[in-house]
Coordinates of all heavy atoms in Angstrom, one line a residue:
D14 N 0.8 -1.2 0.0 CA 0.0 0.0 0.0 C 0.9 1.3 0.0 O 0.4 2.4 -0.2 CB -0.9 0.0 1.2 CG -2.0 -1.1 1.2 OD1 -2.3 -1.5 0.0 OD2 -2.4 -1.5 2.2
H15 N 2.2 1.1 0.3 CA 3.0 2.3 0.3 C 3.6 2.6 -1.1 O 4.5 3.5 -1.2 CB 4.2 2.0 1.3 CG 3.8 2.1 2.7 ND1 4.1 1.1 3.6 CD2 3.0 2.9 3.4 CE1 3.5 1.3 4.8 NE2 2.9 2.5 4.7
L16 N 3.2 1.9 -2.1 CA 3.7 2.2 -3.5 C 3.1 3.5 -3.9 O 1.9 3.8 -3.7 CB 3.3 1.1 -4.5 CG 4.0 -0.3 -4.3 CD1 3.3 -1.3 -5.1 CD2 5.4 -0.1 -4.7
F17 N 3.9 4.3 -4.5 CA 3.5 5.7 -4.9 C 2.4 5.6 -6.0 O 2.4 4.9 -6.9 CB 4.7 6.4 -5.4 CG 4.4 7.7 -6.1 CD1 4.0 8.9 -5.4 CD2 4.4 7.9 -7.5 CE1 3.7 10.0 -6.0 CE2 4.1 9.1 -8.1 CZ 3.7 10.2 -7.4
G18 N 1.4 6.5 -5.9 CA 0.4 6.8 -6.9 C -0.6 5.7 -7.0 O -1.1 5.2 -5.9
S19 N -0.9 5.3 -8.2 CA -2.0 4.3 -8.4 C -1.5 2.9 -8.1 O -1.1 2.2 -8.9 CB -2.5 4.4 -9.8 OG -3.5 3.4 -10.1
N20 N -1.6 2.5 -6.8 CA -1.0 1.2 -6.4 C -1.9 0.0 -6.8 O -1.4 -1.1 -6.9 CB -0.7 1.2 -4.9 CG -1.9 1.5 -4.0 OD1 -3.0 1.2 -4.4 ND2 -1.6 2.2 -2.9
I21 N -3.2 0.2 -7.0 CA -4.1 -0.9 -7.3 C -3.7 -1.7 -8.6 O -3.6 -2.9 -8.6 CB -5.6 -0.5 -7.4 CG1 -6.0 0.1 -6.0 CG2 -6.5 -1.6 -7.7 CD1 -5.9 -0.9 -4.9
P22 N -3.5 -1.0 -9.7 CA -3.1 -1.7 -10.9 C -1.7 -2.3 -10.8 O -1.5 -3.4 -11.4 CB -3.1 -0.6 -12.0 CG -3.0 0.7 -11.3 CD -3.7 0.5 -10.0
I23 N -0.8 -1.7 -10.0 CA 0.5 -2.3 -9.8 C 0.3 -3.6 -9.0 O 0.9 -4.6 -9.4 CB 1.4 -1.3 -9.0 CG1 1.5 0.0 -9.8 CG2 2.8 -2.0 -8.8 CD1 2.3 1.1 -9.0
Q24 N -0.4 -3.6 -7.9 CA -0.7 -4.8 -7.1 C -1.3 -5.9 -7.9 O -1.0 -7.1 -7.8 CB -1.5 -4.4 -5.9 CG -0.9 -3.5 -4.9 CD -1.8 -3.1 -3.8 OE1 -2.9 -3.6 -3.7 NE2 -1.5 -2.1 -3.0
G25 N -2.2 -5.5 -8.8 CA -2.9 -6.5 -9.6 C -2.0 -7.2 -10.7 O -2.2 -8.4 -10.9
E26 N -1.1 -6.4 -11.3 CA -0.3 -7.0 -12.4 C 0.9 -7.7 -11.9 O 1.4 -8.7 -12.5 CB 0.1 -5.8 -13.3 CG -1.0 -5.1 -14.0 CD -1.7 -6.0 -15.1 OE1 -1.2 -7.1 -15.3 OE2 -2.7 -5.6 -15.6
A27 N 1.5 -7.3 -10.7 CA 2.7 -8.0 -10.3 C 2.5 -9.4 -9.8 O 1.5 -9.7 -9.1 CB 3.3 -7.1 -9.2
D28 N 3.4 -10.3 -10.1 CA 3.4 -11.6 -9.5 C 4.0 -11.6 -8.1 O 3.7 -12.4 -7.3 CB 4.3 -12.5 -10.4 CG 3.6 -12.8 -11.8 OD1 2.5 -13.3 -11.8 OD2 4.2 -12.4 -12.8
A29 N 5.0 -10.7 -7.9 CA 5.6 -10.5 -6.6 C 5.9 -9.0 -6.4 O 6.3 -8.3 -7.3 CB 6.8 -11.4 -6.4
I30 N 5.8 -8.6 -5.2 CA 6.2 -7.2 -4.8 C 7.2 -7.3 -3.7 O 7.0 -8.0 -2.7 CB 5.0 -6.4 -4.4 CG1 4.0 -6.2 -5.6 CG2 5.4 -5.0 -3.9 CD1 2.7 -5.5 -5.2
I31 N 8.3 -6.6 -3.9 CA 9.4 -6.6 -2.9 C 9.5 -5.1 -2.4 O 9.8 -4.2 -3.2 CB 10.7 -7.0 -3.5 CG1 10.6 -8.5 -4.0 CG2 11.8 -6.9 -2.4 CD1 11.8 -8.9 -4.8
M32 N 9.3 -4.9 -1.1 CA 9.5 -3.5 -0.6 C 10.8 -3.4 0.2 O 11.1 -4.3 1.0 CB 8.3 -3.2 0.3 CG 6.9 -3.3 -0.4 SD 6.7 -2.1 -1.8 CE 6.8 -0.5 -1.0
I33 N 11.5 -2.3 0.0 CA 12.8 -2.1 0.7 C 12.7 -0.9 1.6 O 12.5 0.2 1.1 CB 14.0 -1.9 -0.3 CG1 14.0 -3.1 -1.3 CG2 15.3 -1.8 0.4 CD1 15.1 -2.9 -2.4
G34 N 12.8 -1.1 2.9 CA 12.6 0.0 3.8 C 14.0 0.4 4.4 O 15.0 -0.3 4.4
R35 N 14.0 1.7 4.8 CA 15.3 2.2 5.4 C 14.9 3.2 6.6 O 14.1 4.1 6.4 CB 16.1 3.0 4.4 CG 17.3 3.7 4.9 CD 17.9 4.6 3.9 NE 19.1 5.2 4.4 CZ 19.8 6.2 3.8 NH1 19.3 6.7 2.6 NH2 20.8 6.8 4.3
M36 N 15.5 3.0 7.7 CA 15.2 3.9 8.9 C 16.3 5.0 8.9 O 17.5 4.7 8.9 CB 15.3 3.1 10.2 CG 14.3 1.9 10.2 SD 12.6 2.4 10.0 CE 12.3 3.2 11.6
T37 N 15.8 6.2 8.9 CA 16.8 7.3 8.9 C 16.7 8.1 10.2 O 17.2 9.2 10.3 CB 16.4 8.3 7.7 OG1 15.1 8.8 7.9 CG2 16.6 7.6 6.4
D38 N 16.1 7.5 11.2 CA 16.0 8.2 12.5 C 17.1 7.8 13.5 O 17.0 8.2 14.7 CB 14.6 7.9 13.1 CG 14.4 6.4 13.3 OD1 15.3 5.6 13.0 OD2 13.3 6.0 13.8
G39 N 18.1 7.1 13.0 CA 19.2 6.8 13.9 C 19.0 5.5 14.6 O 19.9 5.1 15.4
S40 N 17.9 4.8 14.5 CA 17.6 3.6 15.2 C 18.3 2.4 14.6 O 18.3 1.3 15.2 CB 16.1 3.3 15.3 OG 15.6 3.2 13.9

């Protein structure tokens, strides 16, 4: 759901979704 913009068609077409997170708060 954090994909930018129109995420519904992206979610529907993709066979797999890989999300890469990064913490910038020093934790």
Side-chain angles (χ1 to χ4, degrees):
D14 292 334
H15 290 130
L16 290 169
F17 169 75
S19 173
N20 53 33
I21 299 301
I23 302 172
Q24 294 175 11
E26 296 293 350
D28 292 298
I30 295 176
I31 302 169
M32 302 299 294
I33 307 176
R35 176 190 180 191
M36 303 299 289
T37 60
D38 58 1
S40 61

